[in-house]
Amino acid sequence: MIEKDNRPVNLNLLTISLPIIGVSSILHRISGLAVFFSFPLVVWLLSISLKSEESFVALTNLYENSLFLKIITYLILVGFSYHLLAGSKKLLSDAFGIGETLESGRFLSWLVFGLTFIIAIFFLIQVF
């Protein structure tokens, strides 16, 4: 006979209070998925820009006139930057043991968020 589990169940993900290290880990996975799905678009745009001089000029004109393309470019750059920084943090932790304690992991997570914010501001100035 199966006994009833009396542990509390919280299915509302918005009420769960994750530590900053957990938020950083989840966002790293989400940004990796976003980078993976944006890769075909980036390769397609690169192939158009390298096809001929006329196609490069046409793509440049489209980019200058399209706010949607600028927003997509900005989001791809910021997502890739965050994924790169969070992945570097993870590699430092796995390979060298840097950031394995709670305090150092928390500090590195905030550092990744801070650097991503600075890079996002830089890309915002460059793209727009």
Side-chain angles (χ1 to χ4, degrees), residues 7-120:
R7 293 182 290 175
V9 176
N10 185 3
L11 298 177
N12 187 355
L13 296 178
L14 299 175
T15 62
I16 295 174
S17 178
L18 281 175
I20 192 67
I21 299 169
V23 172
S24 174
S25 177
I26 289 172
L27 288 177
H28 180 246
R29 293 171 190 205
I30 293 171
S31 67
L33 191 66
V35 167
F36 177 77
F37 283 120
S38 67
F39 185 72
L41 175 65
V42 172
V43 171
W44 179 68
L45 289 173
L46 181 65
S47 70
I48 289 174
S49 71
L50 295 175
K51 194 177 294 183
S52 67
E53 186 176 348
E54 293 81 20
S55 64
F56 178 77
V57 170
L59 186 62
T60 305
N61 291 335
L62 176 67
Y63 182 77
E64 289 174 357
N65 298 325
S66 175
L67 180 64
F68 179 72
L69 192 57
K70 286 183 181 182
I71 291 172
I72 294 296
T73 303
Y74 175 73
L75 291 175
I76 289 171
L77 288 172
V78 171
F80 180 74
S81 299
Y82 178 77
H83 189 71
L84 182 70
L85 289 172
S88 299
K89 174 188 155 300
K90 181 70 174 159
L91 286 175
L92 283 175
S93 175
D94 288 346
F96 302 110
I98 300 171
E100 285 185 342
T101 65
L102 186 61
E103 279 301 314
S104 61
R106 190 177 297 139
F107 173 75
L108 286 177
S109 293
W110 280 114
L111 183 65
V112 166
F113 284 135
L115 289 174
T116 302
F117 180 74
I118 291 169
I119 291 171

Side-chain angles (χ1 to χ4, degrees), residues 2-9:
I2 299 175
E3 293 183 27
K4 185 174 188 275
D5 191 7
N6 291 327
R7 293 182 290 175
V9 176

